[in-house]
Amino acid sequence: MGEFFVYSTFAGFVLTFFPVFLWLDAYVDARGNRAWFSFSAYRFMKIFGGYGQLDKEGIAVHITKKTALFLPFDKLGDMRKKFEITKGFQLWKFHQTVEIGGAENVYGVLVAAGIQSFAGGAFAYLRTKHPFVSLKNCTLLAEDPCLKLSFENAVIFNGFVLGMAITKKLLEALINWIRKKRLTASWKKQRSS
């Protein structure tokens, strides 16, 4: 019994204060209308993954062979507000590769140069704000018409920050519930008067 307490205390300490790396690997084929993604912790512990497709009304996300979620475009703005990331989650790595067609065309070369220049400027700006972030961009030219993107991203946080973010969300929900109760109670009192 004593060993379990020692091991669980040590594991709790490690999970609370040591960094956790959350990885997102994604591959987008715009011409094929598909995007594959994978979330993992420490790069080797897969949390979940799947693929998504664009539809006229939204995005269909297939997590398993039998499970899919449909995210309508008109609801995506509200969902972003619900899942805002706090300052405790820091971007650690952002690598992207863009593959476009037009290797034999002047316009393809110009578009590739424009993408490379824009990414270089954006990464230089991000580097001044966050000097520890690993940023890389690669633009490839293909002979066949295509538009493919691949991303390798990592976010770093710890259990303490995650606990604080969850506590903040729970307190906000509690405050909103109390306000709603007070408004309802005062409204009922005014109706009865």
Side-chain angles (χ1 to χ4, degrees), residues 58-79:
I59 303 170
V61 180
H62 302 269
I63 298 173
T64 65
K65 290 181 180 179
K66 296 181 180 180
T67 307
L69 302 171
F70 186 74
L71 308 171
F73 289 131
D74 55 346
K75 305 281 184 187
L76 287 178
D78 296 335
M79 290 177 68

Side-chain angles (χ1 to χ4, degrees), residues 43-141:
R43 188 66 184 215
F44 62 88
M45 292 187 294
K46 184 178 176 183
I47 299 170
F48 71 92
Y51 70 94
Q53 288 179 299
L54 283 177
D55 193 57
K56 292 178 183 176
E57 295 147 9
I59 303 170
V61 180
H62 302 269
I63 298 173
T64 65
K65 290 181 180 179
K66 296 181 180 180
T67 307
L69 302 171
F70 186 74
L71 308 171
F73 289 131
D74 55 346
K75 305 281 184 187
L76 287 178
D78 296 335
M79 290 177 68
R80 185 183 58 83
K81 291 176 188 172
K82 288 181 185 176
F83 297 108
E84 72 179 52
I85 296 178
T86 65
K87 291 185 179 180
F89 295 84
Q90 296 292 324
L91 183 64
W92 182 66
K93 182 177 188 177
F94 184 82
H95 293 184
Q96 71 177 10
T97 303
V98 180
E99 182 180 350
I100 60 171
E104 298 175 356
N105 191 341
V106 173
Y107 298 112
V109 175
L110 287 174
V111 168
I115 291 171
Q116 196 72 18
S117 299
F118 178 77
F123 287 178
Y125 175 75
L126 285 173
R127 180 75 63 175
T128 59
K129 294 271 187 188
H130 309 285
F132 57 88
V133 178
S134 173
L135 301 166
K136 287 186 184 173
N137 178 50
C138 181
T139 306
L140 304 172
L141 283 169

Side-chain angles (χ1 to χ4, degrees), residues 141-152:
L141 283 169
E143 293 179 8
D144 298 330
C146 65
L147 177 57
K148 298 176 184 176
L149 307 152
S150 65
F151 301 99
E152 184 181 12

Side-chain angles (χ1 to χ4, degrees), residues 7 28 31 35 52 72 92 94 123 129 131 135 153 166 168 187:
Y7 289 138
V28 179
R31 289 183 59 101
W92 182 66
F94 184 82
F123 287 178
K129 294 271 187 188
L135 301 166
N153 305 323
I166 291 170
K168 177 186 168 194
W187 183 70

